Structure formats: C-alpha cells, structure tokens
Amino acid sequence: MQLSNSTEMQTKKNDMPYYQPNNPKSPSAEELNEKCKQIEQSISAAETLKGDNNFLNYIIRKEQVLFSGIYSQIFACHNHQEPDSTLICRMFQTNANIDPLNDVFLKILRFIGRKSQNIVGTYDIFYDQTRRIYLFQELANRGNVLEYLKAGTFVEPTQAIKWAFSIWEAMDFLGSIGVAHRSIRPKHIMLKTNPLSGTMIAKLGSFRDSIIYWNRETGSVVTVKKSPWSEIKFANFQAPESFSKDDGGAFDPISADVWSFGATFFYIIARLYPFDLYKANDIPTVEQEIHHRINSSGALKPEAKKWFMDLLNVDPNKRIRFDDIVNDPWFRSEIN
C-alpha cells in the first residue's frame, strides 16, 4: 500500500495493515500466517565463503569508518553490481551475540530487503567463520533525525508531517507482514537526500528490537511483557502502558508503536519529550504532563494539538487506531 502523491492519498482505501479480528479490511489470519511462516523459517544470514553468493562483490572500505561502537562498526562500501547505490556495511562483532542462523532481527531485515521505499533498504546479510555478521544496507546520507535536531536544525511542522507520512507508510508495510517495529524514535528515523528532487526524505531503520506480532499457533496478536515502572525514566519513546508497577502484565505492541510514532513527531516539532520522565510517578501524572506539554506548545496549531492528543492517549483502548492517523483532517491538509 504505497502512496506516491497527494491524489493517491485522497483516493486510498481505508485498508488496515495490522490485524483486527472480524474486520475484512485487515490482513487475514491466513495471509499473516504465510508471511510470518516465511520469515520464521528463513535463515538469518548467508555464509561469506559460499561460492554462489554476492559477498565478494562488496568492497568494504575499512579506512572510512562511519561509526564505531562496542558491538559493531559501520564502514562505507561499494558493490560492483550496484554502481548507482551508496552503501554501508555494518559489521557486528561476535560479542553482539547475534545468531547468524536464527536471529529474528536479521530474518526480518532479509525478508523486508528493498520491498518498501520508506524503510532503509537491506541488500545482503552474511556471516563468517567467527560468526561475525556483515549487514549491507543503503546509506542514509543525512544521518538520523536525532543527530539532525542536535545540530540545531529547525524542522518546519509541514516538513515533519511529510516525514511522518513516510514513516506511517513504513509501519503500514510492516503491519501487512506481521511485524511490529518496537523502537520508533528520532534516532531510528534516517534521513536521505532524494537524488532527483534534492528534498530530504525519511526512512525507518534499526530493526534490532522488532518482533513478529502474529502468533501462528493461536491465530492472534501477541502481547509483550511490561517492564518495571522504575525503567520509565529511560522510556526511549516507549508507550506508558509498556511499564508496570506490580512487575506484571502485558501490552499490545501495535498500539504501543502508535504512541511511539506520536511521541517521536511531537519531539521533532515541539523539541520536547511528551512528558517529564523524572516526574512520571503514575499514569495519571503522565497523562497530565502530556496534556500540559501539548497544550502549551507554541509550535502546534489547535488542530495539530488534537492530533497529538489522540496519538498520545495514555489509554491504548482510546488511542487513535493506526489506519485513522492519516485520515485526520489536519494531517491530510498538511500532506496535501
């Protein structure tokens, strides 16, 4: 369900990418079973020394280090068969403890590949004899949104909403294949210059925390165990219902991703986290903080404030549904 311009958006059917029981507009259980089966039964990575793969076509430029961390490094690279593509190689060391044959993160990336223009494209994934992982992806030449904001760049709300639409489309694609991202935040929205128009486009990246949200055995959406409430001060754009004071319970990852989406774009436009992480004593306090920060933001029109209120509702049962996000009149007016 890819939308390329405003006319297509106006005529787009109200399809629902995430599963909803008894709703003919959502993907069927059979469709999700097939997609999830393909992901689950695939191999995470190919062997570098296997003769019929593409590994030897990649030239890793180890002198051009783009990132260096404890568990991985990112290098510039080139592929002779992709002369028009600017690529990176993310090399995960063995201490990253990524299983090259069964890691869900890698399986999801391999399945997505380059199927969605709104997700950072994955070209190939390999592993060597030491179980080091080589992840070849497209380069987001403008970095991530968090870096972009920290550089002091102001983002016009109209520009932010165009990026939001791109990320919504990425989530739309993920929902149709049974995947929830589980870590939508500014750091994981990558920016790239469109080579044709020169405009800056946004793509969803970093699937390290992504999950398969569909349980083929039960034919239902999985729930995720809540984290201790004490960890809410490290929320990283996670929904309030992701945390529990009694060390129990579970939450719906689809609705939680909707909150993360809203929190991310509120941060981009208002330059504020939706609530004060250190004053978050309970859900009512969080709700009060969210309302205060949205209502007091001078960067938002009244219609935008309503949109964010719907996205950031602390009650997942009252939160706006994913498919209704782009049907909001203000959102549509900004895109068009």
Side-chain angles (χ1 to χ4, degrees), residues 147-158:
E147 294 170 342
Y148 191 73
L149 294 175
K150 284 186 174 180
T153 312
F154 175 74
V155 179
E156 293 282 352
T158 300

PDB file of all heavy atoms in Angstrom, residues 147-158:
ATOM      1  N   GLU A 147      20.323  13.244  15.422  1.00  0.00           N
ATOM      2  CA  GLU A 147      21.546  13.989  15.111  1.00  0.00           C
ATOM      3  C   GLU A 147      21.205  15.306  14.403  1.00  0.00           C
ATOM      4  O   GLU A 147      21.820  16.342  14.665  1.00  0.00           O
ATOM      5  CB  GLU A 147      22.449  13.149  14.207  1.00  0.00           C
ATOM      6  CG  GLU A 147      22.999  11.894  14.868  1.00  0.00           C
ATOM      7  CD  GLU A 147      23.679  10.980  13.858  1.00  0.00           C
ATOM      8  OE1 GLU A 147      23.432  11.144  12.637  1.00  0.00           O
ATOM      9  OE2 GLU A 147      24.433  10.095  14.283  1.00  0.00           O
ATOM     10  N   TYR A 148      20.244  15.236  13.524  1.00  0.00           N
ATOM     11  CA  TYR A 148      19.826  16.406  12.751  1.00  0.00           C
ATOM     12  C   TYR A 148      19.304  17.499  13.674  1.00  0.00           C
ATOM     13  O   TYR A 148      19.632  18.681  13.519  1.00  0.00           O
ATOM     14  CB  TYR A 148      18.753  15.968  11.756  1.00  0.00           C
ATOM     15  CG  TYR A 148      18.382  16.977  10.711  1.00  0.00           C
ATOM     16  CD1 TYR A 148      19.242  17.270   9.654  1.00  0.00           C
ATOM     17  CD2 TYR A 148      17.147  17.625  10.753  1.00  0.00           C
ATOM     18  CE1 TYR A 148      18.890  18.186   8.671  1.00  0.00           C
ATOM     19  CE2 TYR A 148      16.783  18.534   9.775  1.00  0.00           C
ATOM     20  CZ  TYR A 148      17.658  18.817   8.740  1.00  0.00           C
ATOM     21  OH  TYR A 148      17.310  19.722   7.768  1.00  0.00           O
ATOM     22  N   LEU A 149      18.510  17.109  14.672  1.00  0.00           N
ATOM     23  CA  LEU A 149      17.970  18.083  15.624  1.00  0.00           C
ATOM     24  C   LEU A 149      19.058  18.620  16.550  1.00  0.00           C
ATOM     25  O   LEU A 149      19.088  19.809  16.867  1.00  0.00           O
ATOM     26  CB  LEU A 149      16.850  17.448  16.444  1.00  0.00           C
ATOM     27  CG  LEU A 149      15.575  17.055  15.683  1.00  0.00           C
ATOM     28  CD1 LEU A 149      14.615  16.334  16.617  1.00  0.00           C
ATOM     29  CD2 LEU A 149      14.909  18.275  15.062  1.00  0.00           C
ATOM     30  N   LYS A 150      19.956  17.736  16.986  1.00  0.00           N
ATOM     31  CA  LYS A 150      21.015  18.165  17.907  1.00  0.00           C
ATOM     32  C   LYS A 150      21.982  19.140  17.251  1.00  0.00           C
ATOM     33  O   LYS A 150      22.682  19.885  17.939  1.00  0.00           O
ATOM     34  CB  LYS A 150      21.766  16.944  18.439  1.00  0.00           C
ATOM     35  CG  LYS A 150      20.990  16.176  19.503  1.00  0.00           C
ATOM     36  CD  LYS A 150      21.830  15.074  20.113  1.00  0.00           C
ATOM     37  CE  LYS A 150      21.093  14.413  21.277  1.00  0.00           C
ATOM     38  NZ  LYS A 150      21.891  13.314  21.907  1.00  0.00           N
ATOM     39  N   ALA A 151      22.017  19.122  15.917  1.00  0.00           N
ATOM     40  CA  ALA A 151      22.869  20.071  15.197  1.00  0.00           C
ATOM     41  C   ALA A 151      22.263  21.463  15.178  1.00  0.00           C
ATOM     42  O   ALA A 151      22.854  22.397  14.638  1.00  0.00           O
ATOM     43  CB  ALA A 151      23.094  19.580  13.767  1.00  0.00           C
ATOM     44  N   GLY A 152      21.071  21.596  15.777  1.00  0.00           N
ATOM     45  CA  GLY A 152      20.419  22.901  15.867  1.00  0.00           C
ATOM     46  C   GLY A 152      19.512  23.214  14.709  1.00  0.00           C
ATOM     47  O   GLY A 152      19.057  24.363  14.552  1.00  0.00           O
ATOM     48  N   THR A 153      19.220  22.220  13.889  1.00  0.00           N
ATOM     49  CA  THR A 153      18.373  22.444  12.716  1.00  0.00           C
ATOM     50  C   THR A 153      16.912  22.537  13.128  1.00  0.00           C
ATOM     51  O   THR A 153      16.414  21.703  13.882  1.00  0.00           O
ATOM     52  CB  THR A 153      18.538  21.289  11.707  1.00  0.00           C
ATOM     53  OG1 THR A 153      19.932  21.049  11.513  1.00  0.00           O
ATOM     54  CG2 THR A 153      17.890  21.646  10.378  1.00  0.00           C
ATOM     55  N   PHE A 154      16.220  23.553  12.622  1.00  0.00           N
ATOM     56  CA  PHE A 154      14.791  23.687  12.872  1.00  0.00           C
ATOM     57  C   PHE A 154      14.025  22.946  11.790  1.00  0.00           C
ATOM     58  O   PHE A 154      14.323  23.073  10.595  1.00  0.00           O
ATOM     59  CB  PHE A 154      14.378  25.167  12.880  1.00  0.00           C
ATOM     60  CG  PHE A 154      12.896  25.366  13.011  1.00  0.00           C
ATOM     61  CD1 PHE A 154      12.246  25.163  14.227  1.00  0.00           C
ATOM     62  CD2 PHE A 154      12.132  25.736  11.905  1.00  0.00           C
ATOM     63  CE1 PHE A 154      10.878  25.341  14.343  1.00  0.00           C
ATOM     64  CE2 PHE A 154      10.760  25.924  12.010  1.00  0.00           C
ATOM     65  CZ  PHE A 154      10.132  25.721  13.232  1.00  0.00           C
ATOM     66  N   VAL A 155      13.046  22.157  12.197  1.00  0.00           N
ATOM     67  CA  VAL A 155      12.228  21.410  11.250  1.00  0.00           C
ATOM     68  C   VAL A 155      10.841  22.028  11.215  1.00  0.00           C
ATOM     69  O   VAL A 155      10.142  22.066  12.235  1.00  0.00           O
ATOM     70  CB  VAL A 155      12.138  19.916  11.644  1.00  0.00           C
ATOM     71  CG1 VAL A 155      11.253  19.157  10.660  1.00  0.00           C
ATOM     72  CG2 VAL A 155      13.525  19.292  11.708  1.00  0.00           C
ATOM     73  N   GLU A 156      10.448  22.506  10.056  1.00  0.00           N
ATOM     74  CA  GLU A 156       9.102  23.053   9.896  1.00  0.00           C
ATOM     75  C   GLU A 156       8.065  21.956  10.125  1.00  0.00           C
ATOM     76  O   GLU A 156       8.264  20.812   9.701  1.00  0.00           O
ATOM     77  CB  GLU A 156       8.921  23.616   8.490  1.00  0.00           C
ATOM     78  CG  GLU A 156       9.756  24.847   8.180  1.00  0.00           C
ATOM     79  CD  GLU A 156       9.160  26.106   8.797  1.00  0.00           C
ATOM     80  OE1 GLU A 156       8.023  26.015   9.321  1.00  0.00           O
ATOM     81  OE2 GLU A 156       9.826  27.151   8.766  1.00  0.00           O
ATOM     82  N   PRO A 157       6.948  22.267  10.807  1.00  0.00           N
ATOM     83  CA  PRO A 157       5.915  21.246  11.027  1.00  0.00           C
ATOM     84  C   PRO A 157       5.453  20.564   9.744  1.00  0.00           C
ATOM     85  O   PRO A 157       5.239  19.354   9.734  1.00  0.00           O
ATOM     86  CB  PRO A 157       4.780  22.048  11.684  1.00  0.00           C
ATOM     87  CG  PRO A 157       5.478  23.151  12.406  1.00  0.00           C
ATOM     88  CD  PRO A 157       6.637  23.522  11.517  1.00  0.00           C
ATOM     89  N   THR A 158       5.343  21.324   8.663  1.00  0.00           N
ATOM     90  CA  THR A 158       4.915  20.713   7.393  1.00  0.00           C
ATOM     91  C   THR A 158       5.922  19.669   6.927  1.00  0.00           C
ATOM     92  O   THR A 158       5.554  18.592   6.449  1.00  0.00           O
ATOM     93  CB  THR A 158       4.731  21.789   6.312  1.00  0.00           C
ATOM     94  OG1 THR A 158       3.734  22.711   6.741  1.00  0.00           O
ATOM     95  CG2 THR A 158       4.303  21.159   4.996  1.00  0.00           C
TER      96      THR A 158
END
